[in-house]
Amino acid sequence: MKDNRVALELRHITKRFGDVVANRDISLEVRRGEILSLLGENGSGKTTLMNMISGIYYPDEGHILIDGKNVVISSPHDAFAYKIGMIHQHFKLVDVFTAAENVVLGVKQIGGLNPQETLAQAEVACRREGLEMIPGEQAEVLPADGKHTVGVIKARSGDETVRLIFGLHGRRGYSKRDAVESVKAICTRYGFDLDPNKKIYNMSVSEKQTVEIVKVLYRGADILILDEPTAVLTPQETEKLFAVLRRMRDDGKAIIIITHKLHEVMAISDRVSVLRKGSYIGTVRTSETNEAELTEMMVGKRVSLNIERTEPRDPQVRLAVRDISSVSPDGVKVLDHVSFEARSGEILGVAGIAGSGQRELLESIAGLYVPDSGEILYNDPKDGETVDLRRKTPLQIRELGVRLSFVPEDRLGMGLVGNMSIVDNMMLRSYQAGTGAFLHRTAPKNLAGEIIRQLEVVTPSDKTPVRRLSGGNVQKVLVGREIAAAPTVLMAAYPVRGLDINSSYMIYNLLNKQKESGVAVIFVGEDLDVLLELCDRIMVISGGHVAGILDGRTARKDEVGLLMTGTEGGKAQ
C-alpha cells in the first residue's frame, strides 16, 4: 500500500525583507511518494520559501509541520534533523576530495554507524520478523546501557503499524572503505551512476550534482528540495536524473523541484504549485493541466509561447572564424581549432555544457580575449573590407567601425557598472561623443527611458543604480542597450538567464527582429528546446572544439545532447 501521508505542510507562511514582502500568507503541502513542482516567475518567492524549509531563513509568520507536527527550523542543522535536504544550484563540494569523502564530510557517526547503515540493519530485522518496511521511514538510534546499540523503526504488520526494536551491530572508528561502501549502497538502491573514488575536479556537472543528492540521502533525508536541477544538464543527463527521482518517489521520498522549464514539469511532477509575486496561486494535478494554463497562473494573463522563425533573407558571411585555438594558464585547451561562419539575417545558436569554451569564444570575437592562433575575419558590409580582429583591442575594433555588441555571461562584472545609474550605463556606449570635458547626457537619458518602457523594466527611476534592480531587470537593461547600438553582429550569451517567461519571449522576439534587419546573431543558450525553435543553425561545442553544426529546423534534441557530451559526430552545414 502506497504511503501518501503529508510529509511537509506550510501554513500561512510570511517572510519580509524590510518593506518588501517576499512571501505572503502561503499554505501548501507535499506528500510522501510524490514529486511536487514549484513554479513561479523570477522574483515570485520560490527560493525564499524553500530557504525557510531548509533553515537558511526563518519565517516572520506562520508554521511549518513535519508529519503533522509543528516544528521550528532555525538552521540547516535543524532541517537535517527533520530529514530535510536541499540541493542548491551552486554545488558545495571540496574539489580535491573524492565523492565518498565529500558525502561523509561533517557527519558525526554515532556508534560508528551512519543513517543508511542503520536503515539497512532495520530492513534485515523487519524481514526476520515478517514485517513490511514503510517507504520513507527512517530508523532511530536509542541508548541502551549507556551505548547506542538499539534501533527502533515503524513497520507494518498487516493493516497495523508497529514499532520494532532491534539490536544494532556497530563498528569502531571510520575508514575510507566504509564511506565507499555506504555511497555504493545508496547508488545501487536508487540507480545513481557514480564512482565513489573519483575526485570532484575530474567530474562532469551531472556527476557533481549526483554527489550532492547522495550527500543528503546519506544524512537520512526523506524530504528533498532541488533548485533548478536540470539547468546545466544535457537531455540524456536529465532523463537519468528523472529516472532516479522517480525511484526515490516510489521509495516514499517527498520531492520538491523548483524549475522554470514547463515541459519538464509536465514530464516529472505529480502536482504543481504556483506562486505569483510572493503569493500562493494554487496547486493542480499535472495530469489535469497543460503548459498554457500553468503559464497563465504564473503570469496572471495569457502568454503566447510560440517563437516565429522566419527564413533567412540573402544571408552573407559577416564573421568567419578560422581555426582559432587557445590554452589557459593552467595548460587546459579551452579552444581547439574552432571554425565557423556567422551570416547576416540568421541566428546561429551555440549549445554546449557549461565551461566548454563558449565564453572564451565570444570574448575572442569581442576583443576581450586573445586566442593563441587562428583568424577572426569580419566582413564590413559598408565597404566590403575584410579585417582580422584577433589582434585588435575592443577600442581598435570600434575605431574600425566594426559594431560588435556583446551581452556577456557576467552581467555586473562585465556588462554593466553596478553603482552607476541606468542612464550612466547607457552613456558608457557614447561618452566619447562628448566635447572636451563635457558629456552628452540627452541621448543616453532618452535611450534609458525607451528601454524602461519597451522592456517593462521595474525601477523607481532611470537614476537608480543597476545593482539595486532584480537580476531580470538588470538583464533587460543590458540587452536593450546592446541592441540599441544597431550592431552588424550581435552576440548574446544566455540573454534570458534569470528572466521570467514573459520577459524571455520578449527577448526572443527582439533577437528575431535583429535577424530580420540583417544582423548576424550569435545566441548562446541553455534551453535546447528554445535553441531548436529559435535558431537557423546550431553549433555544438564540446571540450573546446566544434562537435557539429546542425540545421535548426531538422535537428533533434537527443542529437544535440549527444554532440554536447562528445559521444557522436556531427555534420557541418
Side-chain angles (χ1 to χ4, degrees):
M1 184 173 63
K2 184 177 179 181
D3 182 5
N4 62 352
R5 292 174 298 157
V6 175
L8 170 70
E9 183 180 0
L10 305 180
R11 291 183 183 174
H12 308 294
I13 295 292
T14 295
K15 180 63 182 178
R16 301 180 183 88
F17 296 97
D19 296 331
V20 177
V21 182
N23 293 131
R24 180 184 292 106
D25 194 32
I26 293 179
S27 297
L28 59 84
E29 63 183 33
V30 59
R31 298 179 176 274
R32 298 196 180 279
E34 82 162 353
I35 298 175
L36 176 73
S37 286
L38 189 61
L39 275 180
E41 292 187 280
N42 188 51
S44 63
K46 304 184 300 294
T47 301
T48 299
L49 188 65
M50 294 301 102
N51 280 340
M52 283 187 280
I53 297 172
S54 61
I56 296 174
Y57 295 148
Y58 189 79
D60 297 323
E61 299 174 16
H63 302 279
I64 300 175
L65 288 81
I66 305 293
D67 291 329
K69 297 178 182 179
N70 192 40
V71 301
V72 176
I73 303 175
S74 56
S75 69
H77 183 269
D78 290 343
F80 274 126
Y82 291 113
K83 303 172 184 176
I84 299 171
M86 184 167 179
I87 295 91
H88 299 267
Q89 289 189 60
H90 303 290
F91 306 140
K92 298 168 175 60
L93 302 170
V94 181
D95 277 356
V96 296
F97 283 8
T98 66
E101 290 166 343
N102 271 277
V103 167
V104 303
L105 186 64
V107 177
K108 183 179 180 181
Q109 297 182 349
I110 301 175
L113 292 173
N114 62 54
Q116 288 297 321
E117 292 169 324
T118 303
L119 184 60
Q121 293 193 33
E123 291 177 348
V124 173
C126 284
R127 286 198 300 269
R128 185 173 60 245
E129 299 296 329
L131 300 176
E132 179 187 354
M133 290 281 291
I134 298 175
E137 193 66 39
Q138 298 292 324
E140 183 181 354
V141 179
L142 299 177
D145 299 327
K147 297 180 180 180
H148 293 276
T149 56
V150 175
V152 61
I153 192 168
K154 291 180 181 179
R156 286 199 183 94
S157 176
D159 294 332
E160 296 183 8
T161 299
V162 299
R163 284 166 59 88
L164 173 66
I165 298 176
F166 58 96
L168 278 172
H169 306 287
R171 50 183 169 74
R172 296 180 180 178
Y174 162 82
S175 71
K176 185 175 180 179
R177 191 178 78 174
D178 294 331
V180 170
E181 291 303 318
S182 297
V183 172
K184 284 183 177 179
I186 297 173
C187 292
T188 300
R189 182 170 185 172
Y190 296 111
F192 291 109
D193 184 12
L194 180 67
D195 179 1
N197 294 305
K198 192 172 184 179
K199 299 282 189 181
I200 298 299
Y201 59 73
N202 285 326
M203 289 186 176
S204 66
V205 174
S206 174
E207 289 174 311
K208 292 177 182 177
Q209 184 184 69
T210 298
V211 175
E212 289 284 15
I213 297 174
V214 172
K215 270 174 64 177
V216 298
L217 291 174
Y218 179 83
R219 286 156 175 76
D222 56 15
I223 300 173
L224 287 88
I225 304 167
L226 295 93
D227 190 2
E228 298 285 359
T230 65
V232 291
L233 301 184
T234 67
Q236 290 77 13
E237 290 169 338
T238 297
E239 281 304 315
K240 285 183 179 179
L241 173 63
F242 284 0
V244 169
L245 293 180
R246 292 186 185 104
R247 281 190 284 270
M248 290 196 293
R249 174 192 61 190
D250 296 341
D251 193 41
K253 305 291 185 187
I255 302 171
I256 303 174
I257 293 182
I258 303 174
T259 182
H260 68 281
K261 298 180 180 179
L262 291 175
H263 62 281
E264 292 182 354
V265 169
M266 302 301 295
I268 188 62
S269 63
D270 299 297
R271 294 188 302 140
V272 186
S273 292
V274 180
L275 303 183
R276 184 169 72 231
K277 296 180 180 179
S279 298
Y280 173 72
I281 301 302
T283 299
V284 295
R285 290 188 177 278
T286 310
S287 59
E288 298 172 358
T289 188
N290 55 56
E291 293 186 17
E293 182 179 315
L294 292 174
T295 302
E296 188 172 350
M297 289 178 69
M298 281 193 292
V299 179
K301 60 183 179 181
R302 289 192 175 276
V303 177
S304 173
L305 300 179
N306 295 320
I307 300 174
E308 294 185 8
R309 176 170 49 195
T310 59
E311 290 289 337
R313 288 180 294 183
D314 189 28
Q316 302 291 325
V317 176
R318 188 67 63 232
L319 195 71
V321 176
R322 298 281 184 255
D323 205 35
I324 64 170
S325 296
S326 183
V327 177
S328 72
D330 299 328
V332 178
K333 185 169 283 190
V334 292
L335 294 174
D336 186 8
H337 301 286
V338 173
S339 297
F340 68 93
E341 294 177 346
R343 303 165 186 164
S344 61
E346 76 165 12
I347 299 178
L348 173 66
V350 180
I353 297 171
S356 295
Q358 301 97 314
R359 177 171 181 164
E360 290 81 3
L361 175 61
L362 295 195
E363 289 183 4
S364 296
I365 299 171
L368 304 175
Y369 181 89
V370 181
D372 298 328
S373 61
E375 295 179 317
I376 303 174
L377 304 177
Y378 172 77
N379 297 318
D380 194 329
K382 294 180 180 179
D383 55 19
E385 183 182 353
T386 300
V387 181
D388 186 359
L389 307 180
R390 191 169 68 89
R391 296 295 180 184
K392 303 293 183 182
T393 66
L395 183 59
Q396 288 173 328
I397 291 174
R398 287 180 61 82
E399 289 174 347
L400 286 170
V402 179
R403 303 292 305 199
L404 291 176
S405 292
F406 184 47
V407 181
E409 187 174 352
D410 181 7
R411 319 295 175 212
L412 293 178
M414 292 176 59
L416 300 169
V417 180
N419 288 326
M420 291 173 61
S421 69
I422 299 175
V423 173
D424 289 343
N425 272 285
M426 297 300 111
M427 199 161 56
L428 289 176
R429 282 294 192 189
S430 60
Y431 71 92
Q432 289 177 314
T435 304
F438 299 96
L439 301 175
H440 293 164
R441 297 184 63 87
T442 303
K445 184 174 179 61
N446 292 338
L447 176 59
E450 186 178 345
I451 290 174
I452 290 171
R453 286 191 301 273
Q454 290 187 358
L455 298 186
E456 301 175 3
V457 177
V458 179
T459 176
S461 75
D462 59 11
K463 298 181 179 63
T464 302
V466 295
R467 63 179 172 79
R468 294 184 180 174
L469 304 181
S470 70
N473 286 304
V474 169
Q475 181 73 326
K476 291 179 185 179
V477 171
L478 178 57
V479 173
R481 185 192 69 184
E482 296 307 304
I483 289 177
T488 55
V489 176
L490 173 64
M491 298 183 292
Y494 313 109
V496 300
R497 178 181 282 173
L499 296 186
D500 54 57
I501 291 178
N502 201 31
S503 300
S504 296
Y505 278 81
M506 189 183 298
I507 297 298
Y508 300 148
N509 290 330
L510 286 174
L511 294 178
N512 260 327
K513 288 180 181 178
Q514 292 297 300
K515 163 189 167 179
E516 291 168 4
S517 66
V519 175
V521 180
I522 301 176
F523 171 70
V524 181
E526 295 170 311
D527 193 327
L528 292 187
D529 293 285
V530 170
L531 283 166
L532 291 168
E533 193 174 350
L534 176 69
C535 302
D536 300 289
R537 293 182 298 139
I538 299 174
M539 177 173 69
V540 184
I541 295 183
S542 176
H545 75 277
V546 177
I549 302 179
L550 309 173
D551 188 325
R553 292 167 175 77
T554 59
R556 303 188 316 275
K557 188 175 178 179
D558 62 332
E559 182 181 12
V560 177
L562 289 172
L563 287 170
M564 287 169 63
T565 57
T567 55
E568 186 174 296
K571 184 187 294 184
Q573 297 290 320

